[in-house]
Amino acid sequence: MSPLARWCHRHRLAVVLVWVGLLLALGAGVGAAGNAFGNSPTSQDTDSARATALLQQASDSAAGKSGRIVWQVNGAKVTAPAAEQAMTGALEDVADAPGVASVTSPYTPDGRAQVSEDGRTAYATVAFDQDVSDAQIDRVRELATDPESENLHIALNGQAFTVHPEPNAVADAMGIVLAFVVLLFVFRAVWVAALPIITAVVGVGTSAVTVMLLSHVITLSDTTLTLGSLIGLGVGIDYALFIVNRHRANLMAGMSVAESVAKSLNTSGRAVVFAGLTVVIALLGMLTLNVGIINGMAIGAAVTVVLTVLAAVTLLPALLGMIGPRVLSKSERRETAGQRSSGRAGLWARWAERVQSRPKTLGVVALAVLAALAFPTLSLRLGASDDGNLPTTSTNRQAYDMVADGFGPGFNGPLVLAVQAPGAADKAAAGRLVTALKEVDGVASASAAPMKDGRTVGVISVVPTTSPQAAATSDLIHHLREDVIPNAERGTSMKVYVGGVTASNDDFASVLMGKLPIFVLVIAALGFLLLTVAFRSLLIPAVGAVLNILSIGVAFGAIVVVFQYGFGAGLLGLGAAGPIESFVPILVVGIMFGLSMDYQVFLVSRMREEWAHTGDSRRAVRVGQAETGKVIAVAATIMVCVFGSFVFGGMRVISEFGVSLAVAVAVDALLIRMVVVPALMHLCGRANWWLPRRLDRALPHVSVEGPVDGPTHPQRPVREPETAGLAG
């Protein structure tokens, strides 16, 4: 990569202008075309998907969005004259508002069932026209809540009235500010703190507008942009930091700026490209799951990583050329000019010696801590968040709670059964099914809409006794499909499918939970193969694959404790406890695999470089850990700052990513890479670098850290790993 570095350094102004022009051109394209984000449906063949397709095929309704207006009266019933008069007037205003197709009031004969049995809660349903605008919905929201008073509490929820939290720009910027402060504190040089951030921001900014334009071509979720920013800022700053750190070391060793830029890109730059490639491969590997929403997120995140890597290996060398020796602090420039060295062992050198002297004790303690942090993963339960997981200050959450209080928790997520009944006997069987459903444990009520003449598809609504996210509701869905419905279908041509939002979420979670173990194993195998090619070893990749799985377990454990158990969720403003969003673990697996590989590559490549010089495994492990410990720790701290800032962004899904990745990165860098990996390598000695000769000849040769300078230890594979000795 030296030629690329020299070219970028020589034409540094042109490189910077090209990046600025690219960003402006793509931004202009977005300004003209906008974006086309949307939640893509899954391609899974599930019972709920068949129910949805059947109901859509049979429906002739062109209605648009719908919503629910819910109210309660303090110390009185909703049928009290004052409350009825106030809400009737408001509902009449809503019915006359532009964009409203119909309103069903609980104060009419058709809406009597919309008053709770105790008379303290009522709701009205609002159906909007198909082309209703956001401004018209906002006007309806104002009219509906106009009678609000100390005694009359009104809240809204449902599809039309769902308020999606806006990304918190202040929280996002805070991560960048904290990253700058960390870099400035550690390196005491403004440009060292600024260059990685500038590079990452340009890469993420370019990828953001690229993803917006890409949304017109493929279906991308509306969370893709935020997720891409989260990943791109983290890896972008880290990748640039690794190159800048090597550049600084080269300058302090007496190299010229041009020579140092070429050398840095030919060593750390190679590692950055290799690490970025592993992240992209892991993300694109999710396409094999064939799940629409995950496909879009994976592609968007992969585009972001590609552009941040491209910025690190082109824009950064140009900026380093412009900055020159100012990338060093004043004291470092004086020290370099005088060729003086303090000669004192640093913190990470002392820690590397400590690990070398007590590998067994430290390794066992670290593994025990990791196992404890990963233990909550065993109770991981996937699902989908809803209004019940929002903070109590949200009107959607308040409406959810009032409905649950007045009509039962299952009323917020009824099951919708699509009944295919082509004959008269089948219609009679459908009637018997409704009766049978009412007697099923876990069913609060069951009712069927009258089937119109000539129609062969009917709808049965089943209200569970438990909330949509409860494990008992999931059990009920399986019981209906496996026992109740087959008994009703027996001897008829009737077909019944359990659908609705609650069943769809449950099916989606089941599909992904079934694929998650296989995906983890595939990722581990991929990591083993890549590390084998990179380091010409079998033991290091095997250890890396196992430890990658452990770091993923820590990530899962963190989100289970915070979001599923609810510990600390309230303090973070993340709402009530609930299941983990179904697609989060899949994406965390891909992302953490890439980040874990990053640190493993930067750590072990330096060890292998020292091993190639000396042939002394103990020295190679110690020196590699000592020289990379500082930059890995700083890089991890920066990622924790960036990922942690997204926890406060107001979006539950993104907060789950932020918590899991922040905790896992901290643990992976400080415990796994700085304790467990070197401890195991000290114990295994020369066996770390053993590779069968046939396999060595068969594998392609990839140099992660570039050519080794100076005398090289002859690489003789250890013939018998068990006789290589265990360095104590």
Side-chain angles (χ1 to χ4, degrees):
M1 297 186 67
S2 295
L4 174 64
R6 291 191 180 95
W7 191 93
C8 291
H9 177 268
R10 197 163 49 246
H11 303 88
R12 43 190 177 271
L13 181 59
V15 172
V16 172
L17 292 177
V18 166
W19 274 99
V20 172
L22 178 63
L23 186 57
L24 292 176
L26 292 173
V30 170
N35 66 73
F37 291 125
N39 293 320
S40 57
T42 68
S43 59
Q44 307 303 324
D45 183 20
T46 60
D47 199 65
S48 59
R50 287 188 287 272
T52 300
L54 189 63
L55 292 174
Q56 289 177 342
Q57 181 181 356
S59 175
D60 57 2
S61 173
K65 299 177 180 179
S66 63
R68 184 186 286 166
I69 304 170
V70 190
W71 62 92
Q72 289 180 333
V73 181
N74 294 337
K77 294 185 177 182
V78 294
T79 53
E84 182 173 347
Q85 181 179 359
M87 289 309 303
T88 298
L91 294 178
E92 289 175 352
D93 292 339
V94 168
D96 294 335
V100 175
S102 65
V103 175
T104 303
S105 169
Y107 301 123
T108 62
D110 292 338
R112 289 175 182 172
Q114 295 169 204
V115 178
S116 62
E117 290 185 5
D118 61 7
R120 303 181 64 84
T121 307
Y123 70 90
T125 57
V126 182
F128 290 92
D129 296 331
Q130 197 166 15
D131 57 350
V132 65
S133 66
D134 291 340
Q136 290 172 334
I137 292 177
D138 290 339
R139 177 56 181 164
V140 169
R141 185 180 285 109
E142 293 175 4
L143 293 173
T145 56
D146 186 61
E148 177 93 28
S149 65
E150 292 183 1
N151 294 324
L152 180 61
H153 181 45
I154 306 170
L156 294 80
N157 70 350
Q159 179 190 18
F161 298 128
T162 297
V163 179
H164 297 287
E166 292 292 331
N168 190 332
V170 175
D172 298 348
M174 185 57 65
I176 298 176
V177 172
L178 290 175
F180 179 83
V181 170
V182 169
L183 289 169
L184 187 61
F185 176 78
V186 173
F187 294 104
R188 309 287 179 172
V190 173
W191 283 113
V192 180
L195 285 177
I197 292 176
I198 292 172
T199 305
V201 168
V202 171
V204 170
T206 306
S207 64
V209 289
T210 301
V211 168
M212 289 181 188
L213 293 175
L214 193 61
S215 67
H216 292 280
V217 181
I218 60 176
T219 304
L220 296 176
S221 167
D222 50 11
T223 59
T224 301
L225 205 58
T226 307
L227 178 63
S229 298
L230 183 149
I231 299 170
L233 285 175
V235 301
I237 295 174
D238 276 12
Y239 290 166
L241 175 60
F242 285 121
I243 295 175
V244 170
N245 187 66
R246 177 59 71 100
H247 176 62
R248 283 164 43 82
N250 292 339
L251 290 179
M252 295 182 71
M255 289 187 185
S256 66
V257 173
E259 183 185 6
S260 176
V261 168
K263 177 69 175 178
S264 299
L265 213 63
N266 205 38
T267 53
S268 294
R270 285 173 178 263
V272 163
V273 172
F274 184 83
L277 180 63
T278 61
V279 178
V280 172
I281 290 174
L283 290 170
L284 295 183
M286 299 178 198
L287 299 180
T288 60
L289 299 174
N290 192 30
V291 178
I293 189 172
I294 291 181
N295 290 349
M297 288 184 174
I299 292 173
V303 168
T304 303
V305 173
V306 168
L307 288 174
T308 52
V309 170
L310 188 60
V313 298
T314 58
L315 177 62
L316 182 58
L319 294 175
L320 289 173
M322 290 181 169
I323 301 306
R326 285 175 293 171
V327 75
L328 300 176
S329 66
K330 291 182 179 179
S331 61
E332 288 170 335
R333 291 200 294 271
R334 287 194 299 269
E335 183 177 316
T336 301
Q339 294 297 311
R340 293 180 287 107
S341 175
S342 64
R344 293 180 298 174
L347 169 65
W348 292 103
R350 295 194 298 272
W351 177 249
E353 292 172 357
R354 177 71 61 85
V355 175
Q356 181 180 359
S357 64
R358 306 182 67 181
K360 291 181 181 178
T361 302
L362 292 174
V364 168
V365 170
L367 286 172
V369 173
L370 291 168
L373 293 174
F375 182 76
T377 302
L378 298 177
S379 59
L380 175 69
R381 188 166 69 87
L382 302 184
S385 59
D386 58 20
D387 290 347
N389 298 117
L390 296 174
T392 53
T393 54
S394 166
T395 182
N396 299 79
R397 169 66 184 276
Q398 293 167 6
Y400 183 98
D401 290 342
M402 286 194 288
V403 168
D405 179 58
F407 300 90
F411 203 83
N412 281 301
L415 307 178
V416 181
L417 276 58
V419 182
Q420 199 168 22
D426 301 320
K427 291 180 173 61
R432 292 192 296 271
L433 174 59
V434 174
T435 303
L437 287 169
K438 294 178 180 179
E439 304 300 323
V440 175
D441 290 340
V443 173
S445 64
S447 59
M451 194 179 301
K452 296 180 180 179
D453 294 338
R455 292 294 179 89
T456 60
V457 176
V459 179
I460 299 176
S461 178
V462 176
V463 178
T465 57
T466 50
S467 68
Q469 296 180 350
T473 303
S474 179
D475 294 338
L476 173 63
I477 293 171
H478 295 296
H479 176 53
L480 295 181
R481 289 172 174 169
E482 296 169 6
D483 301 314
V484 178
I485 291 175
N487 289 336
E489 292 175 338
R490 192 172 293 116
T492 71
S493 57
M494 177 181 69
K495 294 293 181 183
V496 182
Y497 305 100
V498 181
V501 175
T502 301
S504 296
N505 291 337
D506 187 76
D507 287 344
F508 189 47
S510 298
V511 168
L512 292 185
M513 198 66 179
K515 293 183 177 183
L516 183 59
I518 298 175
F519 187 59
V520 171
L521 292 177
V522 169
I523 286 294
L526 177 62
F528 178 86
L529 178 61
L530 290 174
L531 290 179
T532 300
V533 172
F535 299 125
R536 324 303 294 179
S537 165
L538 290 180
L539 186 61
I540 291 174
V543 170
V546 173
L547 293 178
N548 282 354
I549 293 176
L550 194 54
S551 66
I552 290 169
V554 171
F556 290 175
I559 53 176
V560 167
V561 169
V562 175
F563 294 92
Q564 190 171 311
Y565 296 167
F567 294 132
L571 295 176
L572 297 174
L574 301 177
I580 306 304
E581 205 74 31
S582 301
F583 55 84
V584 167
I586 295 289
L587 287 166
V588 167
V589 168
I591 296 167
M592 272 312 300
F593 163 77
L595 300 182
S596 298
M597 286 282 288
D598 286 356
Y599 295 141
Q600 185 79 345
V601 166
F602 290 118
L603 173 66
V604 179
S605 61
R606 182 63 187 91
M607 293 177 178
R608 180 169 178 79
E609 184 180 342
E610 190 67 23
W611 161 254
H613 276 296
T614 66
D616 185 341
S617 181
R618 290 167 61 86
R619 173 180 169 80
V621 174
R622 185 185 71 251
V623 171
Q625 180 183 2
E627 294 192 4
T628 60
K630 178 180 178 180
V631 70
I632 288 177
V634 173
T637 303
I638 290 170
M639 279 204 178
V640 170
C641 292
V642 173
F643 293 156
S645 68
F646 280 81
V647 174
F648 304 96
M651 301 173 68
R652 183 181 178 88
V653 172
I654 300 300
S655 297
E656 290 180 7
F657 282 116
V659 168
S660 61
L661 295 177
V663 172
V665 164
V667 170
D668 186 274
L670 300 180
L671 282 182
I672 293 181
R673 309 305 156 188
M674 290 293 104
V675 181
V676 178
V677 169
L680 291 176
M681 292 182 71
H682 279 304
L683 292 172
C684 294
R686 288 170 58 87
N688 289 311
W689 316 106
W690 178 76
L691 185 70
R693 288 178 177 173
R694 286 187 179 180
L695 185 59
D696 185 43
R697 289 192 294 268
L699 291 175
H701 286 263
V702 176
S703 177
V704 176
E705 278 284 341
V708 178
D709 298 329
T712 303
H713 170 70
Q715 296 296 303
R716 295 187 301 272
V718 181
R719 295 174 182 270
E720 299 294 337
E722 63 271 17
T723 63
L726 299 179

